[in-house]
Amino acid sequence: MAKVPTVGTVKTRLQSILSPEECAGLAAAFLYDAVIKTKLVCDNVILAYAPAGQKNLLENLIPSEIVLIQQAGENLGERMANAFEFAFCKYSPVVMIGTDSPTFPAEYISDAFTALESDADIVLGKARDGGFYLIGLRAPIPNLFDEIAWSSPAVFEQLTRNIKDLGVTKLKLIPEHYDVDTPDDFSVMKAEILGDDKLQKTAEKTYRWLLENG
């Protein structure tokens, strides 16, 4: 799930420390690194993008074999549910990530697939801001994303409430991580990447952006 990284529309909460152009460049680096990280784990990668009508801008940013679909729905929950529905027409299980966590290991995606292929019905990776950075499903779960206050600190709590209310008992949690949305998140990510040789390879585009932008 990704926004097309155009100037003025992405990473707006970082504009107190970065220009709109820098925010767009950083978001493009995050997007590329997310796709490459995902391809380390599986060959079948689908990128669900928004807003509509900007597919051509993505085609120059990511490998040509990535399947691009337009997000559809009135809110994030509907858009995620529709993206899952598209993926489940061809594949199972399905693991979904965003593009705001360049430093979480590819092994977390692999662990999610392993859990879903054994006995888990759903896998979640909680984000430190109260959301989630990864969700994997063995099969579609109707109404999973209903009644959630998106972009609030209550997202993870409300999602796990839905899971319980729907009678889903086989939930697997993977380690908590963070999205890069605020200046504090940016500082944590910068220190982490600049101090870790492995991350400089797995988040190569973000690392190069950091070097080029001081």
Side-chain angles (χ1 to χ4, degrees):
M1 301 288 287
K3 287 184 178 180
V4 178
T6 54
V7 175
T9 67
V10 290
K11 296 289 150 220
T12 54
R13 282 187 279 175
L14 293 179
Q15 288 185 16
S16 62
I17 59 170
L18 302 174
S19 71
E21 291 77 14
E22 288 171 332
C23 288
L26 182 64
F30 284 3
L31 171 61
Y32 180 86
D33 286 339
V35 169
I36 297 304
K37 174 165 55 183
T38 306
K39 283 190 64 62
L40 293 174
V41 176
C42 60
D43 293 328
N44 303 310
V45 179
I46 301 165
L47 194 152
Y49 68 90
Q54 298 189 7
K55 179 179 178 180
N56 62 309
L57 300 179
L58 290 171
E59 290 172 340
N60 298 323
L61 294 176
I62 60 174
S64 58
E65 66 270 20
I66 303 301
V67 175
L68 295 173
I69 65 167
Q70 186 174 294
Q71 292 182 22
E74 294 298 318
N75 57 47
L76 180 58
E78 290 184 10
R79 295 195 294 270
M80 293 178 67
N82 288 329
F84 268 120
E85 182 179 355
F86 178 90
F88 275 120
C89 288
K90 297 183 177 181
Y91 310 112
S92 179
V94 176
V95 173
M96 179 183 289
I97 65 169
T99 59
D100 292 333
S101 299
T103 58
F104 85 80
E107 288 82 2
Y108 289 3
I109 304 174
S110 180
D111 291 346
F113 275 115
T114 298
L116 293 166
E117 288 164 354
S118 54
D119 66 345
D121 290 320
I122 184 167
V123 177
L124 286 178
K126 184 180 181 181
R128 292 176 191 167
D129 63 2
F132 57 91
Y133 67 91
L134 178 150
I135 180 170
L137 303 179
R138 182 204 295 267
I141 301 177
N143 308 118
L144 178 62
F145 301 118
D146 291 355
E147 304 298 325
I148 291 178
W150 300 105
S151 301
S152 79
V155 168
F156 186 85
E157 178 183 345
Q158 292 170 345
L159 179 61
T160 52
R161 174 207 62 201
N162 285 356
I163 292 169
K164 181 179 179 181
D165 289 348
L166 290 166
V168 180
T169 58
K170 295 180 179 179
L171 167 64
K172 166 74 173 179
L173 299 179
I174 59 174
E176 185 175 293
H177 204 70
Y178 65 95
D179 287 338
V180 180
D181 291 319
T182 68
D184 286 345
D185 300 330
F186 178 84
S187 296
V188 171
M189 177 205 69
K190 181 178 178 180
E192 192 173 2
I193 292 179
L194 294 181
D196 189 321
D197 292 344
K198 183 179 179 181
L199 279 177
Q200 291 165 17
K201 295 177 182 178
T202 58
E204 180 183 2
K205 202 84 164 181
T206 302
Y207 173 56
R208 279 194 273 145
W209 185 95
L210 289 170
L211 295 180
E212 291 167 4
N213 290 275

